Amino acid sequence: MKFSKLFILFIVIIASNKLGAQENSSKAIYPVLGKNDTIRVTATNDNGYMIPWFPLKEVVIIGVRTFKSAADQAAFNRLRYNVLKVMPYALYAKRRYEQLERDLAVTTDKKTQKRLVKQCDDEIKKMFNTEIKELTITQGQILTKLINREVGRTTYDIVKETKGGFAAFSYQLIARVVGHNLKSTYSATEDRDIETIIVNSGYYQ
């Protein structure tokens, strides 16, 4: 009896393997190509039928904004001008600090790390002395927000990490005198007008 059960089980296994082999050996059905179908695309086997497909880029649909008054539109235009004015500086800061973090990650020598931090600090300071110092108070406030948006940390935190707590405190005191706040953070919800301008700016296309 046991032998007969094992024999039947053996037959079932062989039959299932043959059935699977027949299913796998069956030819997939491809769509009929036309004379203009010359682009190679990915295809997915859907129950024997090959369904061609290709990925599409994300499409962001933004409605045309209407303003309640000419003054509101003028204010938005000024904001747009200021955002586009300082956005390159925020992106530069992002790239430069990302490079600094990569450089610091590959060395444990304190002297080398100190030199790398100073080099980065000198480059940022040079940019401030030549261009950023000409920014208006409003543009400076927007810049601190955008640095937080791009780098993921406030300007105060960046100074504290690279120069120390006392330097960050000193810079914050100076910034507050001229109407800035190095601890300003960015919120895509609260700063939705700025976010809309950035999304439509073309920087991330």
Side-chain angles (χ1 to χ4, degrees):
M1 180 65 71
K2 290 183 179 180
F3 177 78
S4 62
K5 288 182 178 180
L6 290 175
F7 181 75
I8 295 173
L9 178 61
F10 181 70
I11 295 298
V12 170
I13 293 175
I14 293 178
S16 61
N17 288 336
K18 288 184 177 181
L19 180 60
Q22 290 177 356
E23 291 177 350
N24 293 332
S25 63
S26 59
K27 293 184 178 179
I29 302 175
Y30 288 87
V32 179
L33 299 180
K35 63 178 182 179
N36 295 323
D37 294 328
T38 58
I39 301 175
R40 292 182 177 272
V41 297
T42 305
T44 299
N45 191 330
D46 184 14
N47 295 323
Y49 290 89
M50 301 303 294
I51 309 298
W53 61 274
F54 57 91
L56 296 176
K57 291 184 178 180
E58 180 184 5
V59 177
V60 179
I61 300 176
I62 300 176
V64 178
R65 180 166 182 170
T66 57
F67 298 91
K68 294 180 179 179
S69 64
D72 288 344
Q73 183 170 1
F76 182 83
N77 291 339
R78 285 194 301 271
L79 177 63
R80 183 177 184 277
Y81 171 82
N82 290 332
V83 171
L84 297 182
K85 174 77 173 179
V86 302
M87 189 63 184
Y89 303 131
L91 293 176
Y92 173 83
K94 175 185 180 181
R95 291 191 296 267
R96 190 59 188 88
Y97 282 112
E98 285 178 345
Q99 181 62 49
L100 175 62
E101 290 180 344
R102 289 193 295 267
D103 293 340
L104 293 176
V106 297
T107 179
T108 57
D109 182 67
K110 297 297 183 182
K111 189 175 181 180
T112 302
Q113 290 180 343
K114 187 175 180 180
R115 177 179 57 81
L116 291 171
V117 171
K118 185 179 185 305
Q119 181 180 355
C120 177
D121 186 59
D122 289 343
E123 291 181 17
I124 298 295
K125 196 175 294 182
K126 180 180 179 180
M127 183 177 65
F128 268 84
N129 291 334
T130 56
E131 299 182 45
I132 294 182
K133 70 177 183 179
E134 302 297 332
L135 298 179
T136 65
I137 292 178
T138 300
Q139 291 169 349
Q141 292 170 342
I142 295 174
L143 177 58
T144 56
K145 284 179 173 288
L146 294 187
I147 288 178
N148 177 243
R149 180 186 189 272
E150 297 301 320
V151 181
R153 292 169 299 191
T154 65
T155 306
Y156 181 89
D157 291 334
I158 294 173
V159 176
K160 185 177 180 180
E161 291 175 9
T162 57
K163 301 290 288 181
F166 180 76
F169 177 75
S170 302
Y171 287 3
Q172 174 70 342
L173 287 179
I174 298 172
R176 297 297 287 176
V177 171
V178 295
H180 295 292
N181 182 8
L182 302 184
K183 296 182 180 181
S184 295
T185 57
Y186 183 85
S187 170
T189 302
E190 296 177 3
D191 302 305
R192 58 182 179 275
D193 285 343
I194 296 178
E195 186 69 18
T196 299
I197 293 169
I198 293 174
V199 170
N200 293 329
S201 65
Y203 279 109
Y204 299 96
Q205 293 181 357

